[in-house]
């Protein structure tokens, strides 16, 4: 009988420094989410799985991370109405059970989610894809789950549009158009501004109750920009997107604030301590740089600010995002 192999991971390291996150990344798994009276959602998901490591231990049991992911996913296939954030939470909690030397486990999942929809004017069937962002952290105090989405849209710069409007006003006056007609025309026909592709990310971190509808998250993120975009578009649809985006010009900062407003209006049933992460990045069309804005805050603080409360507390609310 061969001698038992030594457990090298459990030995003491040469440098006794603890680590916050040790684990595996790029774990690809097929995830099936059953829904009541509807076709199941099948996702090709990529997972990242981590635990913390104390200073006195050389390494984690890496194979256990993979074993837990496989176990939970197989169990999920036998259940109905599974939410991806619950899936991450189950894996995180099981990791704590499997690794008795850890105090914190973290699981992240990303997958592409396809939404069926119709084009805005021609009514043609098409599809829109969003990136699902789900995660969970588990520690002795409990489990926190996060669900979110990253979507793409269109924005128009109000600054350049304002300059175009000023130019149009001057030309119309030179053509002796009456002032009232000039203002009515400019009010009804939005002037050009440089447009860009926008990237909106919205995430909500909760304790798992009440449930957050992923579709609602996607809708709020898409509506935060100047206009939605569509994979397939006929001429009337292109005209619709161009007109509505220029009629709703927004800076990158405006998009984040619109996202905050949408979260407060849509998620009225959520508790004040839900942590909301909102990010907007624009691929600038006339600059070599891009624009970015973000906000992390508890939902209660956003409600207070939008109801006329003090908005000068960003540093305090950001402290809850860890």
């Amino acid at each position: 009988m061969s001698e038992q192999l030594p457990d090298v991971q459990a030995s003491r390291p040469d440098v006794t420094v603890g680590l916050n996150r040790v684990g595996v990344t790029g774990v690809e798994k097929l995830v099936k989410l059953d829904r009541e009276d509807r076709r199941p959602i099948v996702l090709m998901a990529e997972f990242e799985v981590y635990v913390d490591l104390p200073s006195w231990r050389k390494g984690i049991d890496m194979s256990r991370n993979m074993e837990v992911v496989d176990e939970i996913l197989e169990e999920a296939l036998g259940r109905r109405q599974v939410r991806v954030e619950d899936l991450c939470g189950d894996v995180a909690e099981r990791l704590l059970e499997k690794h008795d030397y850890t105090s914190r486990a973290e699981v992240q999942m990303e997958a592409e989610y396809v939404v069926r929809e119709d084009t805005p004017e021609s009514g043609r069937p098409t599809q829109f894809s969003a990136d699902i962002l789900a995660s969970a952290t588990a520690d002795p105090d409990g489990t926190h789950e996060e669900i979110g989405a990253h979507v793409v849209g269109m924005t128009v710069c109000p600054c350049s549009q304002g300059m175009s409007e000023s130019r149009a006003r001057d030309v119309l006056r030179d053509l002796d158009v009456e002032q009232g007609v000039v203002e009515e025309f400019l009010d009804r026909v939005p002037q050009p501004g440089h447009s860009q592709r926008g990237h909106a990310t919205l995430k909500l971190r909760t304790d798992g109750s009440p449930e957050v509808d992923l579709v609602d998250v996607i809708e709020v993120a898409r509506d935060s920009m100047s206009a939605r975009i569509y994979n397939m578009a006929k001429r009337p649809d292109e005209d619709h997107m161009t007109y509505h985006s220029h009629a709703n010009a927004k800076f990158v900062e405006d998009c984040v604030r619109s996202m905050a407003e949408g979260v407060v209006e849509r998620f009225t049933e959520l508790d004040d301590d839900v942590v909301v992460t909102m990010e907007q990045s624009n691929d600038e069309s006339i600059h070599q740089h891009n624009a970015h804005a973000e906000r992390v805050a508890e939902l209660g603080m956003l409600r207070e600010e939008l109801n006329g409360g003090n908005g000068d507390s960003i540093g305090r609310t950001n402290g809850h995002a860890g």
Side-chain angles (χ1 to χ4, degrees):
M1 182 176 180
S2 62
E3 186 176 329
Q4 185 175 3
L5 296 175
D7 187 357
V8 179
Q9 290 94 333
S11 65
R12 188 174 183 84
D14 296 331
V15 180
T16 53
V17 173
L19 304 177
N20 296 113
R21 302 166 83 202
V22 183
V24 293
T25 64
V27 181
E28 294 185 345
K29 293 291 179 182
L30 196 65
V31 177
K32 177 184 173 185
L33 304 179
D34 284 320
R35 298 182 293 175
E36 192 70 38
D37 300 325
R38 300 175 69 184
R39 289 188 301 177
I41 299 172
V42 179
L43 304 171
M44 189 63 205
E46 183 171 312
F47 288 86
E48 296 182 7
V49 181
Y50 306 101
V51 295
D52 62 351
L53 184 67
S55 61
W56 49 264
R57 186 180 173 95
K58 189 174 184 65
I60 70 168
D61 297 307
M62 199 74 72
S63 62
R64 291 187 186 179
N65 285 13
M66 291 295 298
E67 183 182 15
V68 169
V69 173
D70 282 332
E71 286 178 1
I72 297 299
L73 291 180
E74 287 302 317
E75 290 177 12
L77 294 178
R79 298 200 304 263
R80 298 189 61 83
Q81 299 177 336
V82 178
R83 299 186 304 157
V84 286
E85 62 269 40
D86 287 343
L87 187 64
C88 292
D90 289 343
V91 175
E93 291 171 358
R94 189 71 64 83
L95 283 169
L96 284 185
E97 296 174 6
K98 290 279 188 177
H99 300 78
D100 56 6
Y101 49 83
T102 65
S103 59
R104 187 175 187 271
E106 178 181 351
V107 178
Q108 299 178 10
M109 190 212 80
E110 184 171 343
E112 187 177 44
Y113 179 72
V114 178
V115 180
R116 296 178 181 271
E117 60 184 2
D118 295 330
T119 55
E121 289 294 331
S122 64
R124 302 291 185 91
T126 186
Q127 296 179 351
F128 174 83
S129 60
D131 292 328
I132 301 175
L133 309 171
S135 66
T137 57
D139 58 34
D141 295 326
T143 302
H144 293 284
E145 300 174 349
E146 185 173 68
I147 183 64
H150 172 86
V151 303
V152 179
M154 179 179 179
T155 64
V156 172
C157 176
C159 185
S160 67
Q161 187 181 57
M163 291 185 285
S164 295
E165 184 175 305
S166 178
R167 181 190 296 271
R169 183 178 283 106
D170 291 341
V171 171
L172 290 170
R173 285 173 179 169
D174 290 342
L175 295 173
D176 294 326
V177 179
E178 295 181 4
Q179 182 65 29
V181 176
V182 170
E183 297 306 323
E184 183 178 356
F185 173 79
L186 294 176
D187 184 60
R188 295 175 62 179
V189 182
Q191 296 304 293
H194 75 83
S195 61
Q196 48 267 321
R197 178 167 291 183
H199 305 267
T201 301
L202 173 61
K203 296 183 288 187
L204 291 90
R205 192 181 72 180
T206 73
D207 60 3
S209 179
E211 296 184 0
V212 176
D213 191 328
L214 175 62
V215 174
D216 286 340
V217 175
I218 293 173
E219 293 288 303
V220 170
R222 292 185 78 185
D223 287 337
S224 66
M225 291 174 275
S226 295
R228 296 186 175 195
I229 62 174
Y230 297 83
N231 268 339
M232 198 278 289
K234 303 294 286 184
R235 282 187 178 182
D237 305 310
E238 292 177 358
D239 178 65
H240 174 96
M241 287 183 277
T242 302
Y243 176 84
H244 282 276
S245 61
H246 283 79
N248 189 31
K250 290 181 178 181
F251 291 122
V252 67
E253 301 94 331
D254 295 322
C255 295
V256 174
R257 288 171 172 143
S258 293
M259 215 181 305
E261 185 177 42
V263 167
V264 169
E265 291 177 353
R266 185 71 65 101
F267 299 104
T268 56
E269 75 285 358
L270 296 184
D271 295 335
D272 283 344
D273 61 357
V274 169
V275 178
V276 185
T277 300
M278 300 162 288
E279 300 178 11
Q280 177 71 28
S281 295
N282 291 343
D283 298 335
E284 292 287 344
S285 58
I286 64 171
H287 306 294
Q288 287 188 323
H289 60 263
N290 295 324
H292 182 85
E294 61 183 73
R295 176 69 190 279
V296 181
E298 288 187 344
L299 183 53
M301 181 58 67
L302 295 178
R303 287 168 173 157
E304 181 181 334
E305 290 182 32
L306 287 169
N307 287 328
N310 180 16
D312 298 326
S313 54
I314 293 177
R316 178 162 60 88
T317 58
N318 279 354
H320 296 285

